[in-house]
Amino acid sequence: MARPVLLLLCAFVVLLASSTTASAAIVEHSFDVRNLTVTRLCRDQVITAVNGGLPGPTIHVQEGDTLVVHVYNKSPYNLTIHWHGIFQLMSAWADGPDMVTQCPIKPGTKYTYKFKIIQQEGTLWWHAHTSWLRATVYGALIIRPRSGHSYPFPKPDKEVPIILGEWWNANVVDVENQALASGGGPNNSDAYTINGKPGNLYPCSQDQTYKLNVEEGKTYLLRIINAALNNQLFYKVANHKLTVVAVDAEYTKPYVTDVVVIAPGQTADVLLTADQPVGSYYMAAHPYASQPAIPFDNTTTRGIIVYDGATSSAPIMPVLPAFEDTPTAHKFYSSLTGLKDGPNWVPVPLHVDEHMFVTVGLGLDLCRIKGTCQGANGQRFSASMNNASFMFPTSLSMLQAFFFNVNGIYTADFPNKPPVKFDYTNANVSNDTSLLFAPKSTSVTKLKFNATVEMVLQNTALIAIENHPMHLHGFNFHVLAQGFGNYDPKRDIKKYNLVNPQRRNTIAVPVGGWAVIRFQANNPGVWFMHCHLDVHMPWGLATAFVVENGPTPATRLPPPPYDLPQC
């Protein structure tokens, strides 16, 4: 009798194991990257695009799947692809930032990205991480729960990616190069887009307006992504409420709002119920300009939501917040909380190993030829964190230097506090030359495996007071608190949410204010942290964390793939 029981038990174990792994699949895509001529705003424009489309293809996976993407670079530019928000647990080689985790994929060559989706569900995205190619090389990355699991909210009737983008009537690589050569700011974009279409407020765009058909009474999950290069955006749907259920692929306690504020790099999953009278309604987006004194593209993109059975009457337009409406932006950003005990919920680590206080802001770099530079005071624009202005290596990626123990590529001396303490958000310091000129370096912070890091991100008033969206590769962090003015530990620690804070990979640090984030460095490798305004990243508003290997083979970075691009 014992033997049949044992055989039955073994069969049950095998069946259980097979059912657990059956939901995990290998999802394979090919990206054909090449120049493409498209018509926008009354003109033909050559862009770099993936698989002949703008946006590029939407990738659908389930939690637990392995994603394999073959990238064929048939464009004239060096290229990498970053899988924005993916943890890349033990797969740092696939993260993608140029000269951080890999050398670029050169024109006429290919590279295959391969990584597993582990303990993540929701909306993320992929984009180029070389120069300004991100303006047109991007697409949605949607992670659904594995088979047998469900959303922690009522299942929507349909899911719809809403990708907000930015458009130039110019070659974006030329726009960036012109700005870098002059030392000044780049030309503003000419339009914003919804799913690649500018909308009918722009010239020659009546037939380039995104349209979403809905059925009365049904609920739609809008997966909103801000793929714009340099602008945070307000997004509204006329006469409809939106319920936020996730941000940056992290579930949130449902939050009802009539406006979504979203910084470059961020995502927001919102439920929209078609509960209004049958008709047509505009969805619209325009910038949140935290510093309106800085020139920006002040146009509006819009799409149309059309109810089944609607007549041809003119759609209703939402009233968007004023460009400089910081109170509305802050209310949205600070009202979100995490869905405690929901899928993939991670409690706040309470013991902190590394405390960092990091100033972020603009600055200047000396003009090499007097009278030729267009930055403030006749100098070149620059940017820094803790008075260190980040400079990319050129001969070897930082991750290769880490893995092969190569010296001279980066230095592990990023300061954990600013070298000079000053009144950070006082506008009187904006032109203090003793604070504006930060040295260039490839300076990083070295972390022990599993160390918990708490970082106060303090905005400054240097050059201009503005909101900075800061993105951390490789990790999600808890947002413990955020506020205005100079961070004061005696006062502001009392505001920490250690119970159910929102988790993100990109935080919009309030204009003239601060944010406190906390994360656990449980993934070996080199992880980039930078401002997700592409105008600021080449100026040096970035740093990196080098996380040491763990104690076991399963916690040590594996060797690079055989086809890793070489510099």
Side-chain angles (χ1 to χ4, degrees):
M1 183 68 183
R3 181 173 175 80
V5 171
L6 180 60
L7 290 174
L8 185 63
L9 180 60
C10 290
F12 175 76
V13 171
V14 170
L15 180 64
L16 180 64
S18 63
S19 66
T20 301
T21 58
S23 64
I26 295 177
V27 179
E28 197 161 2
H29 286 263
S30 291
F31 280 9
D32 183 281
V33 187
R34 64 175 71 205
N35 279 0
L36 174 72
T37 300
V38 298
T39 302
R40 294 288 188 278
L41 278 57
C42 313
R43 59 181 289 168
D44 291 339
Q45 180 63 51
V46 176
I47 65 171
T48 303
V50 177
N51 295 357
L54 177 69
T58 295
I59 293 177
H60 295 271
V61 293
Q62 288 184 309
E63 193 275 322
D65 286 351
T66 296
L67 181 59
V68 179
V69 182
H70 309 286
V71 179
Y72 299 86
N73 186 8
K74 300 174 184 176
S75 81
Y77 308 110
N78 287 343
L79 174 79
T80 66
I81 301 292
H82 171 50
W83 313 94
H84 187 110
I86 292 291
F87 293 153
Q88 299 294 357
L89 287 168
M90 306 309 297
S91 58
W93 301 104
D95 192 42
D98 181 24
M99 301 312 299
V100 178
T101 61
Q102 67 170 97
C103 300
I105 308 167
K106 296 182 175 63
T109 66
K110 66 176 284 267
Y111 177 55
T112 296
Y113 292 92
K114 181 178 181 180
F115 52 90
K116 189 171 183 178
I117 313 294
I118 301 173
Q119 295 181 341
Q120 292 188 274
E121 298 174 12
T123 304
L124 295 174
W125 63 303
W126 57 265
H127 60 79
H129 213 294
T130 310
S131 68
W132 272 26
L133 291 177
R134 177 166 73 83
T136 55
V137 178
Y138 62 82
L141 173 52
I142 295 172
I143 309 168
R144 291 189 173 88
R146 65 172 65 216
S147 297
H149 296 242
S150 60
Y151 298 131
F153 49 82
K155 185 179 179 181
D157 295 290
K158 187 176 181 180
E159 302 179 16
V160 185
I162 302 291
I163 308 181
L164 308 176
E166 201 166 4
W167 176 264
W168 276 260
N169 283 331
N171 181 309
V172 292
V173 175
D174 292 343
V175 172
E176 181 191 24
N177 288 339
Q178 180 183 21
L180 293 175
S182 70
N187 293 334
N188 290 325
S189 56
D190 296 288
Y192 301 102
T193 58
I194 298 175
N195 290 345
K197 298 180 178 182
N200 55 17
L201 286 176
Y202 296 99
C204 306
S205 300
Q206 289 299 315
D207 61 346
Q208 293 185 353
T209 302
Y210 173 70
K211 182 179 178 182
L212 173 62
N213 292 310
V214 300
E215 187 176 336
E216 186 180 10
K218 291 194 173 180
T219 297
Y220 298 80
L221 177 61
L222 306 184
R223 296 180 176 273
I224 306 171
I225 299 167
N226 187 352
L229 260 67
N230 293 321
N231 286 280
Q232 301 188 59
L233 296 166
F234 290 115
Y235 172 90
K236 291 187 75 170
V237 177
N239 292 7
H240 288 73
K241 294 289 187 181
L242 303 170
T243 301
V244 181
V245 292
V247 293
D248 293 1
E250 290 279 0
Y251 292 116
T252 62
K253 183 179 178 181
Y255 175 69
V256 179
T257 178
D258 67 345
V259 61
V260 169
V261 193
I262 188 165
Q266 291 183 335
T267 70
D269 290 356
V270 304
L271 296 174
L272 175 145
T273 298
D275 57 3
Q276 295 301 300
V278 170
S280 298
Y281 302 83
Y282 280 118
M283 63 172 71
H286 77 191
Y288 161 47
S290 63
Q291 177 46 268
I294 298 176
F296 64 96
D297 177 357
N298 63 358
T299 61
T300 300
T301 181
R302 65 185 184 184
I304 305 175
I305 292 179
V306 181
Y307 280 63
D308 288 352
T311 64
S312 58
S313 59
I316 299 172
M317 180 69 182
V319 178
L320 290 163
F323 296 123
E324 69 277 10
D325 190 348
T326 288
T328 292
H330 184 68
K331 178 183 177 182
F332 178 85
Y333 283 138
S334 61
S335 295
L336 300 172
T337 53
L339 186 63
K340 185 180 178 183
D341 300 324
N344 303 316
W345 168 252
V346 176
V348 181
L350 299 180
H351 173 77
V352 177
D353 301 294
E354 300 285 343
H355 289 271
M356 302 181 71
F357 183 95
V358 180
T359 55
V360 296
L362 304 183
L364 297 175
D365 193 20
L366 287 173
C367 186
R368 297 176 184 85
I369 303 176
K370 189 175 180 180
T372 64
C373 298
Q374 298 176 10
N377 303 330
Q379 307 294 342
R380 302 175 61 84
F381 279 125
S382 185
S384 66
M385 299 175 68
N386 273 358
N387 201 48
S389 185
F390 186 84
M391 183 170 59
F392 288 95
T394 56
S395 60
L396 192 70
S397 78
M398 299 167 69
L399 188 59
Q400 287 171 296
F402 164 71
F403 185 85
F404 294 108
N405 199 27
V406 178
N407 294 322
I409 303 301
Y410 60 81
T411 57
D413 58 356
F414 182 81
N416 62 8
K417 60 182 179 180
V420 177
K421 187 175 181 179
F422 59 99
D423 190 359
Y424 305 112
T425 56
N426 187 332
N428 292 330
V429 306
S430 61
N431 283 307
D432 186 338
T433 55
S434 68
L435 300 171
L436 291 177
F437 294 87
K440 298 287 183 181
S441 63
T442 311
S443 181
V444 308
T445 300
K446 216 167 191 180
L447 297 174
K448 295 290 185 183
F449 181 79
N450 256 352
T452 295
V453 181
E454 181 176 298
M455 178 183 290
V456 178
L457 291 164
Q458 173 70 63
N459 256 324
T460 68
L462 300 176
I463 300 296
I465 305 174
E466 61 178 331
N467 184 300
H468 288 103
M470 301 300 298
H471 172 49
L472 176 61
H473 291 225
F475 306 96
N476 283 359
F477 47 75
H478 292 93
V479 181
L480 302 186
Q482 49 191 308
F484 296 99
N486 295 334
Y487 174 80
D488 180 351
K490 293 180 181 178
R491 175 194 66 207
D492 295 325
I493 284 178
K494 299 174 185 176
K495 302 174 184 177
Y496 283 15
N497 179 355
L498 300 175
V499 178
N500 65 340
Q502 60 181 293
R503 290 187 84 215
R504 282 193 173 275
N505 62 59
T506 304
I507 173 71
V509 183
V511 53
W514 50 269
V516 182
I517 65 173
R518 190 180 292 182
F519 68 95
Q520 190 170 15
N522 57 1
N523 194 12
V526 179
W527 305 106
F528 200 34
M529 185 177 196
H530 62 95
C531 182
H532 220 270
L533 301 178
D534 272 28
V535 64
H536 291 164
M537 189 168 66
W539 290 352
L541 194 51
T543 186
F545 294 96
V546 175
V547 180
E548 296 178 352
N549 283 308
T552 65
T555 57
R556 294 175 190 145
L557 181 68
Y562 74 94
D563 60 343
L564 187 73
Q566 301 300 308
C567 293

